[in-house]
Amino acid sequence: MNDSDVRRRPGGRAARVRAAVIEATNELLRDQGLTGLKVSEVARRAQVNETSIFRRWGTRENLVIDALLADAAEQLPVPDSGTLRGDLIAYAASLAKYLTSPAGNALDRTLASAGDDPITQQLRDQYWDARYAQSGQIAERAVKRGELPEATDPRFVLEMLVAPLHFRIVLTREPLEPDLPVRIVDALLRGLVSAADGPPGSRFS
């Protein structure tokens, strides 16, 4: 990456610098991992001053979180299969694949170990608010199709879906088996759908 690359990026100078630094950070995370990342090397690759990075992000940890969150937003699109079950399984499978990648694994562990200073908390809040706003479409569409009750809380549905995956990555360090997304989704649907609606999962096949 060189100065002309930075200049060609859309937006103002601050946006171009941020994009260059985020890209360089994610490249280094993929090449060297979380523990090997140095802000000085990020600055060199992004063609910016190291002091500019610290002035904007404050700490190396905050920079890493911001970069990982930006990458996660690109790697986890919201599926639209036409059924609630299909969407939930596709999303859970995509998340499981991401969390077992070097970038996704680093994201989860960094977020779990990060502190509660205002900048870090703001980054966390922005990420989860954005993810829930996008992923919540899954439940919202299901409500419109009549697959879920109107009173369903989309954010709660997503929390129930992704929590077991994050739990294994961060706490128990257990593997995410290929059939785990399906098992989670079917267990979730049994809890969300009234018994009067029929056998568990029968309306989402």
Side-chain angles (χ1 to χ4, degrees), residues 1 21 54 60 81 90 125 186:
M1 185 180 300
V21 171
F54 281 110
R60 170 185 173 274
S81 67
D125 291 346
D186 286 341

Side-chain angles (χ1 to χ4, degrees), residues 84 88 148-149 152 156-157 187-194 197:
L84 173 61
L88 292 176
L148 287 176
T152 299
F156 184 69
V157 173
L188 175 61
L189 290 177
R190 281 194 291 269
L192 288 173
V193 180
S194 168
D197 289 330

